[in-house]
Amino acid sequence: KAGVTQTPRYLIKTRGQQVTLSCSPISGHRSVSWYQQTPGQGLQFLFEYFSETQRNKGNFPGRFSGRQFSNSRSEMNVSTLELGDSALYLCASSLAGGLTRDFGTYNEQFFGPGTRLTVL
Amino acid sequence: GDSVTQMEGPVTLSEEAFLTINCTYTATGYPSLFWYVQYPGEGLQLLLKATKADDKGSNKGFEATYRKETTSFHLEKGSVQVSDSAVYFCALMRNAGNMLTFGGGTRLMVKP
């Protein structure tokens, strides 16, 4: 079973440009989450999509957006890039909705290798 | 809001030494707790988890016990190997949904 794939793996952009990153979840997985990893801020949650709907959103400016397609593939877009957007962007997929209310199950999140974005 | 605090690294050990990486959390309710590992150039892999108080998660010789009274989830391994060298992240998830809150990560370096 193929894992989570992210494209491209590396990207170099200049300030002011925009960028689109892609994530293909594991077959059958309906939830895709995005995280930003930087040396200074660590791992921070960006947003989660489930069945083409954004279900959760982290504390990031509106320049960061995303979407999910009917095949569960997801894209995230960053407009008007800033130097501080340089980071490793990770996506994670899971079967469904995460924890049930009685904590009886957990849909493990499988992470992709990430896209390394460098903003010059 | 939710937060996770883990010991800063790097932690440098000799092979076969005992490992402890401390993790404490702040969250309302009853979060589930996780340890993830990140090897160089790779994404995160779930190492172990615990979904309720007093649960012990274990995998590949690593263990962690969910201690609600001390809001802790310390990672331990009795005998580390060079191949355990990686960055370890403690994380929590609260309520339904897939939003993980991570600690800052602890780099482990194991020398032969």
Side-chain angles (χ1 to χ4, degrees):
Chain A
K1 198 173 191 181
V4 178
T5 58
Q6 292 186 244
T7 57
R9 290 293 310 277
Y10 302 91
L11 206 48
I12 299 175
K13 292 286 187 178
T14 57
R15 278 181 301 174
Q17 288 187 308
Q18 74 164 16
V19 67
T20 299
L21 312 181
S22 180
C23 173
S24 292
I26 292 171
S27 177
H29 285 195
R30 295 167 61 194
S31 169
V32 174
S33 300
W34 288 89
Y35 292 84
Q36 182 196 63
Q37 185 177 19
T38 61
Q41 299 299 317
L43 277 155
Q44 294 184 289
F45 173 80
L46 280 155
F47 29 66
E48 183 218 359
Y49 286 86
F50 179 72
S51 293
E52 302 180 63
T53 301
Q54 186 181 90
R55 185 163 60 172
N56 291 297
K57 190 177 191 302
N59 189 26
F60 278 82
R63 299 186 297 108
F64 291 82
S65 62
R67 60 179 175 168
Q68 186 179 35
F69 302 95
S70 58
N71 62 358
S72 294
R73 188 177 70 86
S74 177
E75 290 181 346
M76 67 163 282
N77 184 275
V78 188
S79 62
T80 320
L81 284 166
E82 301 177 358
L83 295 178
D85 297 334
S86 295
L88 180 67
Y89 290 89
L90 295 166
C91 91
S93 78
S94 69
L95 272 169
L99 302 173
T100 62
R101 291 184 64 81
D102 65 0
F103 304 111
T105 61
Y106 167 68
N107 291 311
E108 179 180 345
Q109 292 196 59
F110 294 83
F111 281 82
T115 294
R116 172 76 62 186
L117 172 64
T118 301
V119 182
L120 303 176
Chain B
D2 298 342
S3 67
V4 176
T5 302
Q6 58 183 109
M7 58 192 293
E8 291 190 22
V11 174
T12 304
L13 296 172
S14 298
E15 207 165 21
E16 299 184 1
F18 184 85
L19 168 70
T20 299
I21 300 178
N22 291 335
C23 170
T24 57
Y25 69 90
T26 301
T28 56
Y30 300 89
S32 288
L33 303 174
F34 309 90
W35 277 100
Y36 282 85
V37 59
Q38 187 174 35
Y39 297 102
E42 298 183 15
L44 298 172
Q45 299 176 26
L46 178 64
L47 182 59
L48 53 84
K49 65 181 186 287
T51 57
K52 59 183 187 295
D54 299 325
D55 267 1
K56 177 185 280 189
S58 62
N59 186 27
K60 299 180 181 179
F62 291 89
E63 292 184 340
T65 301
Y66 188 161
R67 302 287 189 197
K68 187 161 178 63
E69 64 276 13
T70 55
T71 62
S72 65
F73 193 54
H74 304 322
L75 182 68
E76 297 181 336
K77 187 176 185 183
S79 176
V80 294
Q81 306 300 312
V82 172
S83 58
D84 294 327
S85 298
V87 181
Y88 292 81
F89 293 91
C90 185
L92 68 81
M93 182 185 290
R94 187 163 59 84
N95 301 325
N98 291 328
M99 177 179 166
L100 287 162
T101 299
F102 286 93
T106 302
R107 181 177 298 279
L108 171 65
M109 299 172 60
V110 181
K111 297 184 175 181

